[in-house]
Amino acid sequence: MRDVFQAIADPTRREILGMIAYRSLNVNAVSGQFKISRAAVYKHIKILREAGLVEIKQEGRERFCHAKMEKLAVVSDWVEQYRKLWNQKLDSLEAYLEKLQNKK
Amino acid sequence: MRDVFQAIADPTRREILGMIAYRSLNVNAVSGQFKISRAAVYKHIKILREAGLVEIKQEGRERFCHAKMEKLAVVSDWVEQYRKLWNQKLDSLEAYLEKLQNKK
DNA sequence: TATAAATGAAACCTTTTGGTTTCACAATGC
DNA sequence: GCATTGTGAAACCAAAAGGTTTCATTTATA
């Protein structure tokens, strides 16, 4: 399974996710929003699916793309572990470490 | 300036950030932790710097890499806007939308 | 049934990535 | 002064990314 971080690295793919976040769309509806070819958009959708961020369900001849945002949890977890480093700049540990750093 | 999402897409770069999150290290200290060449690690550091995630300060002949985790805020913001979509699965809006989706 | 619509996938191309080795240079240390 | 240490950058490479056009297949429709 493809890395979620890598999947969301491309701006087009983030846009696709935003587009289907609240309502699923079929492949044509998604690709219609972009200037690049349908095939190119399809490849992006495929990558998102490989990362688990999108699920595709067939309905007749259409395939609807459903966003699985819970897969973003791994990104959230990674970022949040560092939040204290920029949110609580006056944190005592931070202050201590910075003092060490400057003294060096 | 380079896109932060793209900067953190590479696992080696995320590892570098974790390595210097709490204490700055010079380029050699960082590259010493990897099996790939110093030049390769240096390129990763350069990309992180271009994204604003790392700042380099010279001290004598050494260059210390300081992590600027606050630049991760853009990632945090993007992810968090979708948190309700997976955290509050019983949310009324969510339920309503899913009902619409299923009915279709 | 013949056409049109919606996709999936293949073949091909150019640019980016991620690595490597090598070389030049400034700051230190013997 | 000279060898060593710590870097930055260039030249080069193979593989991966991101696009394009084209073609085959399945499902609806006139």
Side-chain angles (χ1 to χ4, degrees):
Chain A
M1 178 153 296
R2 192 179 285 258
D3 181 14
V4 173
F5 285 90
Q6 198 247 326
I8 64 170
D10 186 277
T12 298
R13 289 197 286 271
R14 291 199 296 280
E15 207 175 328
I16 291 174
L17 280 180
M19 213 181 301
I20 63 175
Y22 292 95
R23 76 219 184 295
S24 304
L25 296 175
N26 65 37
V27 177
N28 266 347
V30 173
S31 70
Q33 302 297 311
F34 297 92
K35 289 169 302 186
I36 58 179
S37 70
R38 181 185 63 80
V41 173
Y42 179 71
K43 280 195 194 175
H44 284 303
I45 291 174
K46 198 169 160 190
I47 288 172
L48 289 170
R49 193 178 44 177
E50 287 169 3
L53 284 162
V54 164
E55 254 185 31
I56 297 185
K57 291 179 188 168
Q58 180 159 4
E59 279 185 44
R61 60 185 164 188
E62 299 172 82
R63 314 290 167 102
F64 282 85
C65 305
H66 304 269
K68 309 292 284 182
M69 296 305 201
E70 65 270 27
K71 282 299 168 62
L72 291 177
V74 56
V75 176
S76 176
D77 290 349
W78 185 77
V79 170
E80 294 311 315
Q81 73 177 310
Y82 298 119
R83 175 171 292 282
K84 60 182 173 307
L85 289 179
W86 83 80
N87 254 356
Q88 312 165 354
K89 279 287 186 190
L90 302 177
D91 187 288
S92 65
L93 172 63
E94 177 77 10
Y96 169 69
L97 290 170
E98 283 196 346
K99 207 161 111 185
L100 263 189
Q101 207 51 238
N102 294 335
K103 193 182 299 176
K104 190 162 165 305
Chain B
M1 179 155 293
R2 192 179 283 259
D3 180 15
V4 173
F5 285 91
Q6 199 248 324
I8 63 170
D10 186 277
T12 299
R13 289 196 287 271
R14 291 199 296 280
E15 205 176 331
I16 291 173
L17 280 179
M19 212 182 299
I20 63 175
Y22 292 94
R23 75 221 184 295
S24 304
L25 297 175
N26 65 36
V27 177
N28 266 346
V30 173
S31 70
Q33 301 296 312
F34 297 92
K35 289 168 301 184
I36 58 179
S37 72
R38 181 185 64 79
V41 173
Y42 179 71
K43 281 195 192 175
H44 283 304
I45 291 174
K46 198 170 162 191
I47 288 172
L48 289 170
R49 192 179 45 178
E50 287 169 3
L53 284 162
V54 163
E55 255 184 31
I56 297 185
K57 291 180 188 169
Q58 179 160 5
E59 278 185 44
R61 62 184 162 188
E62 298 172 83
R63 314 290 166 101
F64 282 85
C65 306
H66 303 270
K68 310 292 285 183
M69 296 306 199
E70 63 271 26
K71 283 299 169 63
L72 292 178
V74 57
V75 177
S76 176
D77 290 349
W78 185 78
V79 170
E80 294 310 315
Q81 72 177 311
Y82 298 119
R83 173 171 293 282
K84 59 181 173 309
L85 289 179
W86 83 81
N87 253 356
Q88 312 164 356
K89 279 286 183 189
L90 301 178
D91 185 288
S92 64
L93 173 63
E94 177 77 10
Y96 169 68
L97 288 170
E98 284 198 345
K99 206 160 109 186
L100 262 190
Q101 208 51 239
N102 293 336
K103 192 182 303 176
K104 191 166 161 304

